[in-house]
Amino acid sequence: MSHIGSAADMYRHLAQECEMAMALVDVLFEEQSCLIRFETDRLQALALKKEAMMLELEKRYLNNLQMARAEGYSPDFEGLARWVDNLSHREKRLNSTFETLKTTLQQAKHLNEANGNIVAEQMAGLQERISILTAAAIGNTGASPAANTYGPQGALNKSGNAGTTPRAVIR
């Protein structure tokens, strides 16, 4: 494969990766919107889509490293960057495309971390609510946490005092 051919091929390859990375960012924004709105029914489909996209991008990255190594560059990010820089003398759009890809992947990383933080905050809030409900159930009867709480089907599960109803504080 000549350097001219490989430069043009690499440009097309990186342009496709940019499109995939931008689509991943779109999925992450959609995921974030669903998390904020508690639209949990869509999250599983988005998680599967996100995972497939991330795996494909990783596969392409590893393939790029192999191609760089075959051209005599180190099989790491620095070697890949040097290879792209060398190829950019033949294909002028290559450096800007590579920079766009790096920037977009960095944005995806930050969004994914932000979404993880949202999930962690929501889980902490749910745990707090569970603790409040458990404490309220124990405080009402002095009995076990299962006393005077809602059962698995949503029905009132009364044990202990028949006239006591559960209390809960939900923020």
PDB file of all heavy atoms in Angstrom, residues 19-28 46-60:
ATOM      1  N   GLU A  19     -17.759  10.326  12.316  1.00  0.00           N
ATOM      2  CA  GLU A  19     -19.216  10.203  12.243  1.00  0.00           C
ATOM      3  C   GLU A  19     -19.745   9.304  13.347  1.00  0.00           C
ATOM      4  O   GLU A  19     -20.747   9.620  13.992  1.00  0.00           O
ATOM      5  CB  GLU A  19     -19.641   9.671  10.874  1.00  0.00           C
ATOM      6  CG  GLU A  19     -19.478  10.664   9.752  1.00  0.00           C
ATOM      7  CD  GLU A  19     -19.868  10.094   8.403  1.00  0.00           C
ATOM      8  OE1 GLU A  19     -20.624   9.102   8.352  1.00  0.00           O
ATOM      9  OE2 GLU A  19     -19.408  10.647   7.390  1.00  0.00           O
ATOM     10  N   MET A  20     -19.050   8.188  13.584  1.00  0.00           N
ATOM     11  CA  MET A  20     -19.465   7.278  14.651  1.00  0.00           C
ATOM     12  C   MET A  20     -19.342   7.946  16.018  1.00  0.00           C
ATOM     13  O   MET A  20     -20.226   7.798  16.868  1.00  0.00           O
ATOM     14  CB  MET A  20     -18.621   6.001  14.629  1.00  0.00           C
ATOM     15  CG  MET A  20     -18.903   5.112  13.433  1.00  0.00           C
ATOM     16  SD  MET A  20     -17.825   3.668  13.437  1.00  0.00           S
ATOM     17  CE  MET A  20     -18.488   2.801  14.832  1.00  0.00           C
ATOM     18  N   ALA A  21     -18.260   8.672  16.236  1.00  0.00           N
ATOM     19  CA  ALA A  21     -18.051   9.345  17.521  1.00  0.00           C
ATOM     20  C   ALA A  21     -19.112  10.423  17.738  1.00  0.00           C
ATOM     21  O   ALA A  21     -19.629  10.580  18.852  1.00  0.00           O
ATOM     22  CB  ALA A  21     -16.641   9.939  17.579  1.00  0.00           C
ATOM     23  N   MET A  22     -19.464  11.148  16.691  1.00  0.00           N
ATOM     24  CA  MET A  22     -20.509  12.170  16.803  1.00  0.00           C
ATOM     25  C   MET A  22     -21.863  11.532  17.091  1.00  0.00           C
ATOM     26  O   MET A  22     -22.647  12.059  17.885  1.00  0.00           O
ATOM     27  CB  MET A  22     -20.553  13.026  15.544  1.00  0.00           C
ATOM     28  CG  MET A  22     -19.370  13.943  15.407  1.00  0.00           C
ATOM     29  SD  MET A  22     -19.401  14.835  13.839  1.00  0.00           S
ATOM     30  CE  MET A  22     -17.774  15.572  13.844  1.00  0.00           C
ATOM     31  N   ALA A  23     -22.120  10.388  16.480  1.00  0.00           N
ATOM     32  CA  ALA A  23     -23.361   9.661  16.766  1.00  0.00           C
ATOM     33  C   ALA A  23     -23.367   9.171  18.211  1.00  0.00           C
ATOM     34  O   ALA A  23     -24.412   9.180  18.877  1.00  0.00           O
ATOM     35  CB  ALA A  23     -23.527   8.493  15.788  1.00  0.00           C
ATOM     36  N   LEU A  24     -22.210   8.759  18.707  1.00  0.00           N
ATOM     37  CA  LEU A  24     -22.091   8.338  20.109  1.00  0.00           C
ATOM     38  C   LEU A  24     -22.402   9.507  21.042  1.00  0.00           C
ATOM     39  O   LEU A  24     -23.111   9.339  22.043  1.00  0.00           O
ATOM     40  CB  LEU A  24     -20.699   7.778  20.392  1.00  0.00           C
ATOM     41  CG  LEU A  24     -20.395   7.396  21.840  1.00  0.00           C
ATOM     42  CD1 LEU A  24     -21.337   6.292  22.327  1.00  0.00           C
ATOM     43  CD2 LEU A  24     -18.929   6.959  21.968  1.00  0.00           C
ATOM     44  N   VAL A  25     -21.904  10.685  20.730  1.00  0.00           N
ATOM     45  CA  VAL A  25     -22.196  11.871  21.534  1.00  0.00           C
ATOM     46  C   VAL A  25     -23.702  12.126  21.544  1.00  0.00           C
ATOM     47  O   VAL A  25     -24.288  12.423  22.594  1.00  0.00           O
ATOM     48  CB  VAL A  25     -21.408  13.096  21.021  1.00  0.00           C
ATOM     49  CG1 VAL A  25     -21.943  14.401  21.616  1.00  0.00           C
ATOM     50  CG2 VAL A  25     -19.925  12.942  21.332  1.00  0.00           C
ATOM     51  N   ASP A  26     -24.346  11.979  20.397  1.00  0.00           N
ATOM     52  CA  ASP A  26     -25.806  12.154  20.328  1.00  0.00           C
ATOM     53  C   ASP A  26     -26.520  11.158  21.242  1.00  0.00           C
ATOM     54  O   ASP A  26     -27.458  11.517  21.951  1.00  0.00           O
ATOM     55  CB  ASP A  26     -26.310  11.990  18.895  1.00  0.00           C
ATOM     56  CG  ASP A  26     -25.908  13.136  17.982  1.00  0.00           C
ATOM     57  OD1 ASP A  26     -25.523  14.213  18.496  1.00  0.00           O
ATOM     58  OD2 ASP A  26     -25.963  12.945  16.743  1.00  0.00           O
ATOM     59  N   VAL A  27     -26.070   9.913  21.225  1.00  0.00           N
ATOM     60  CA  VAL A  27     -26.670   8.881  22.085  1.00  0.00           C
ATOM     61  C   VAL A  27     -26.455   9.234  23.556  1.00  0.00           C
ATOM     62  O   VAL A  27     -27.362   9.087  24.376  1.00  0.00           O
ATOM     63  CB  VAL A  27     -26.093   7.476  21.759  1.00  0.00           C
ATOM     64  CG1 VAL A  27     -26.471   6.449  22.817  1.00  0.00           C
ATOM     65  CG2 VAL A  27     -26.579   7.017  20.384  1.00  0.00           C
ATOM     66  N   LEU A  28     -25.281   9.717  23.891  1.00  0.00           N
ATOM     67  CA  LEU A  28     -24.991  10.089  25.284  1.00  0.00           C
ATOM     68  C   LEU A  28     -25.842  11.276  25.736  1.00  0.00           C
ATOM     69  O   LEU A  28     -26.301  11.312  26.877  1.00  0.00           O
ATOM     70  CB  LEU A  28     -23.508  10.382  25.452  1.00  0.00           C
ATOM     71  CG  LEU A  28     -22.613   9.146  25.383  1.00  0.00           C
ATOM     72  CD1 LEU A  28     -21.159   9.540  25.168  1.00  0.00           C
ATOM     73  CD2 LEU A  28     -22.769   8.302  26.626  1.00  0.00           C
ATOM     74  N   LEU A  46     -30.773   2.461  24.823  1.00  0.00           N
ATOM     75  CA  LEU A  46     -29.666   3.394  24.621  1.00  0.00           C
ATOM     76  C   LEU A  46     -28.350   2.805  25.116  1.00  0.00           C
ATOM     77  O   LEU A  46     -27.301   2.990  24.486  1.00  0.00           O
ATOM     78  CB  LEU A  46     -29.952   4.719  25.327  1.00  0.00           C
ATOM     79  CG  LEU A  46     -31.025   5.594  24.688  1.00  0.00           C
ATOM     80  CD1 LEU A  46     -31.358   6.772  25.594  1.00  0.00           C
ATOM     81  CD2 LEU A  46     -30.596   6.065  23.318  1.00  0.00           C
ATOM     82  N   ALA A  47     -28.401   2.093  26.241  1.00  0.00           N
ATOM     83  CA  ALA A  47     -27.181   1.478  26.783  1.00  0.00           C
ATOM     84  C   ALA A  47     -26.625   0.438  25.807  1.00  0.00           C
ATOM     85  O   ALA A  47     -25.408   0.371  25.595  1.00  0.00           O
ATOM     86  CB  ALA A  47     -27.461   0.846  28.139  1.00  0.00           C
ATOM     87  N   LEU A  48     -27.497  -0.351  25.208  1.00  0.00           N
ATOM     88  CA  LEU A  48     -27.043  -1.348  24.236  1.00  0.00           C
ATOM     89  C   LEU A  48     -26.456  -0.682  22.994  1.00  0.00           C
ATOM     90  O   LEU A  48     -25.426  -1.113  22.468  1.00  0.00           O
ATOM     91  CB  LEU A  48     -28.199  -2.270  23.853  1.00  0.00           C
ATOM     92  CG  LEU A  48     -28.698  -3.201  24.955  1.00  0.00           C
ATOM     93  CD1 LEU A  48     -29.947  -3.949  24.509  1.00  0.00           C
ATOM     94  CD2 LEU A  48     -27.603  -4.183  25.373  1.00  0.00           C
ATOM     95  N   LYS A  49     -27.109   0.375  22.535  1.00  0.00           N
ATOM     96  CA  LYS A  49     -26.613   1.109  21.374  1.00  0.00           C
ATOM     97  C   LYS A  49     -25.257   1.738  21.675  1.00  0.00           C
ATOM     98  O   LYS A  49     -24.327   1.673  20.877  1.00  0.00           O
ATOM     99  CB  LYS A  49     -27.637   2.173  20.981  1.00  0.00           C
ATOM    100  CG  LYS A  49     -27.351   2.883  19.706  1.00  0.00           C
ATOM    101  CD  LYS A  49     -28.509   3.815  19.354  1.00  0.00           C
ATOM    102  CE  LYS A  49     -28.295   4.478  18.020  1.00  0.00           C
ATOM    103  NZ  LYS A  49     -29.431   5.356  17.672  1.00  0.00           N
ATOM    104  N   LYS A  50     -25.147   2.353  22.853  1.00  0.00           N
ATOM    105  CA  LYS A  50     -23.901   2.990  23.275  1.00  0.00           C
ATOM    106  C   LYS A  50     -22.781   1.950  23.354  1.00  0.00           C
ATOM    107  O   LYS A  50     -21.672   2.194  22.868  1.00  0.00           O
ATOM    108  CB  LYS A  50     -24.106   3.667  24.634  1.00  0.00           C
ATOM    109  CG  LYS A  50     -22.857   4.286  25.217  1.00  0.00           C
ATOM    110  CD  LYS A  50     -23.126   4.985  26.538  1.00  0.00           C
ATOM    111  CE  LYS A  50     -23.286   4.017  27.668  1.00  0.00           C
ATOM    112  NZ  LYS A  50     -23.319   4.671  28.989  1.00  0.00           N
ATOM    113  N   GLU A  51     -23.067   0.816  23.949  1.00  0.00           N
ATOM    114  CA  GLU A  51     -22.043  -0.221  24.086  1.00  0.00           C
ATOM    115  C   GLU A  51     -21.557  -0.704  22.725  1.00  0.00           C
ATOM    116  O   GLU A  51     -20.355  -0.854  22.500  1.00  0.00           O
ATOM    117  CB  GLU A  51     -22.585  -1.396  24.902  1.00  0.00           C
ATOM    118  CG  GLU A  51     -21.565  -2.488  25.107  1.00  0.00           C
ATOM    119  CD  GLU A  51     -22.100  -3.659  25.910  1.00  0.00           C
ATOM    120  OE1 GLU A  51     -23.315  -3.772  26.100  1.00  0.00           O
ATOM    121  OE2 GLU A  51     -21.265  -4.473  26.338  1.00  0.00           O
ATOM    122  N   ALA A  52     -22.481  -0.922  21.799  1.00  0.00           N
ATOM    123  CA  ALA A  52     -22.101  -1.386  20.460  1.00  0.00           C
ATOM    124  C   ALA A  52     -21.228  -0.344  19.756  1.00  0.00           C
ATOM    125  O   ALA A  52     -20.227  -0.692  19.114  1.00  0.00           O
ATOM    126  CB  ALA A  52     -23.351  -1.686  19.637  1.00  0.00           C
ATOM    127  N   MET A  53     -21.578   0.917  19.901  1.00  0.00           N
ATOM    128  CA  MET A  53     -20.800   1.979  19.264  1.00  0.00           C
ATOM    129  C   MET A  53     -19.406   2.072  19.875  1.00  0.00           C
ATOM    130  O   MET A  53     -18.410   2.234  19.156  1.00  0.00           O
ATOM    131  CB  MET A  53     -21.535   3.311  19.385  1.00  0.00           C
ATOM    132  CG  MET A  53     -22.846   3.340  18.627  1.00  0.00           C
ATOM    133  SD  MET A  53     -23.801   4.813  18.998  1.00  0.00           S
ATOM    134  CE  MET A  53     -23.243   5.854  17.656  1.00  0.00           C
ATOM    135  N   MET A  54     -19.332   1.970  21.181  1.00  0.00           N
ATOM    136  CA  MET A  54     -18.040   2.056  21.854  1.00  0.00           C
ATOM    137  C   MET A  54     -17.146   0.873  21.484  1.00  0.00           C
ATOM    138  O   MET A  54     -15.939   1.041  21.278  1.00  0.00           O
ATOM    139  CB  MET A  54     -18.239   2.157  23.362  1.00  0.00           C
ATOM    140  CG  MET A  54     -18.853   3.486  23.772  1.00  0.00           C
ATOM    141  SD  MET A  54     -19.295   3.574  25.504  1.00  0.00           S
ATOM    142  CE  MET A  54     -17.707   3.951  26.227  1.00  0.00           C
ATOM    143  N   LEU A  55     -17.734  -0.298  21.388  1.00  0.00           N
ATOM    144  CA  LEU A  55     -16.957  -1.474  20.989  1.00  0.00           C
ATOM    145  C   LEU A  55     -16.436  -1.337  19.564  1.00  0.00           C
ATOM    146  O   LEU A  55     -15.292  -1.699  19.273  1.00  0.00           O
ATOM    147  CB  LEU A  55     -17.785  -2.746  21.146  1.00  0.00           C
ATOM    148  CG  LEU A  55     -18.038  -3.205  22.578  1.00  0.00           C
ATOM    149  CD1 LEU A  55     -19.027  -4.369  22.603  1.00  0.00           C
ATOM    150  CD2 LEU A  55     -16.730  -3.605  23.252  1.00  0.00           C
ATOM    151  N   GLU A  56     -17.266  -0.811  18.669  1.00  0.00           N
ATOM    152  CA  GLU A  56     -16.834  -0.614  17.283  1.00  0.00           C
ATOM    153  C   GLU A  56     -15.711   0.420  17.204  1.00  0.00           C
ATOM    154  O   GLU A  56     -14.738   0.226  16.481  1.00  0.00           O
ATOM    155  CB  GLU A  56     -18.010  -0.190  16.402  1.00  0.00           C
ATOM    156  CG  GLU A  56     -17.652   0.039  14.951  1.00  0.00           C
ATOM    157  CD  GLU A  56     -17.101  -1.181  14.222  1.00  0.00           C
ATOM    158  OE1 GLU A  56     -17.421  -2.328  14.614  1.00  0.00           O
ATOM    159  OE2 GLU A  56     -16.355  -0.989  13.235  1.00  0.00           O
ATOM    160  N   LEU A  57     -15.844   1.504  17.949  1.00  0.00           N
ATOM    161  CA  LEU A  57     -14.777   2.516  17.958  1.00  0.00           C
ATOM    162  C   LEU A  57     -13.482   1.950  18.530  1.00  0.00           C
ATOM    163  O   LEU A  57     -12.391   2.241  18.027  1.00  0.00           O
ATOM    164  CB  LEU A  57     -15.220   3.755  18.731  1.00  0.00           C
ATOM    165  CG  LEU A  57     -16.200   4.661  17.991  1.00  0.00           C
ATOM    166  CD1 LEU A  57     -16.845   5.661  18.947  1.00  0.00           C
ATOM    167  CD2 LEU A  57     -15.504   5.376  16.840  1.00  0.00           C
ATOM    168  N   GLU A  58     -13.595   1.136  19.570  1.00  0.00           N
ATOM    169  CA  GLU A  58     -12.395   0.515  20.138  1.00  0.00           C
ATOM    170  C   GLU A  58     -11.751  -0.439  19.139  1.00  0.00           C
ATOM    171  O   GLU A  58     -10.517  -0.458  18.982  1.00  0.00           O
ATOM    172  CB  GLU A  58     -12.733  -0.234  21.429  1.00  0.00           C
ATOM    173  CG  GLU A  58     -11.517  -0.867  22.068  1.00  0.00           C
ATOM    174  CD  GLU A  58     -11.836  -1.631  23.341  1.00  0.00           C
ATOM    175  OE1 GLU A  58     -13.019  -1.837  23.660  1.00  0.00           O
ATOM    176  OE2 GLU A  58     -10.882  -2.024  24.024  1.00  0.00           O
ATOM    177  N   LYS A  59     -12.562  -1.209  18.446  1.00  0.00           N
ATOM    178  CA  LYS A  59     -12.051  -2.142  17.432  1.00  0.00           C
ATOM    179  C   LYS A  59     -11.311  -1.377  16.332  1.00  0.00           C
ATOM    180  O   LYS A  59     -10.221  -1.769  15.911  1.00  0.00           O
ATOM    181  CB  LYS A  59     -13.211  -2.944  16.842  1.00  0.00           C
ATOM    182  CG  LYS A  59     -12.821  -3.988  15.837  1.00  0.00           C
ATOM    183  CD  LYS A  59     -14.038  -4.797  15.434  1.00  0.00           C
ATOM    184  CE  LYS A  59     -14.339  -4.520  13.995  1.00  0.00           C
ATOM    185  NZ  LYS A  59     -15.488  -5.258  13.484  1.00  0.00           N
ATOM    186  N   ARG A  60     -11.880  -0.266  15.910  1.00  0.00           N
ATOM    187  CA  ARG A  60     -11.236   0.547  14.871  1.00  0.00           C
ATOM    188  C   ARG A  60      -9.928   1.157  15.385  1.00  0.00           C
ATOM    189  O   ARG A  60      -8.943   1.231  14.642  1.00  0.00           O
ATOM    190  CB  ARG A  60     -12.188   1.633  14.393  1.00  0.00           C
ATOM    191  CG  ARG A  60     -13.300   1.086  13.525  1.00  0.00           C
ATOM    192  CD  ARG A  60     -14.316   2.172  13.207  1.00  0.00           C
ATOM    193  NE  ARG A  60     -15.283   1.717  12.261  1.00  0.00           N
ATOM    194  CZ  ARG A  60     -15.299   2.056  10.968  1.00  0.00           C
ATOM    195  NH1 ARG A  60     -14.387   2.873  10.492  1.00  0.00           N
ATOM    196  NH2 ARG A  60     -16.218   1.587  10.161  1.00  0.00           N
TER     197      ARG A  60
END
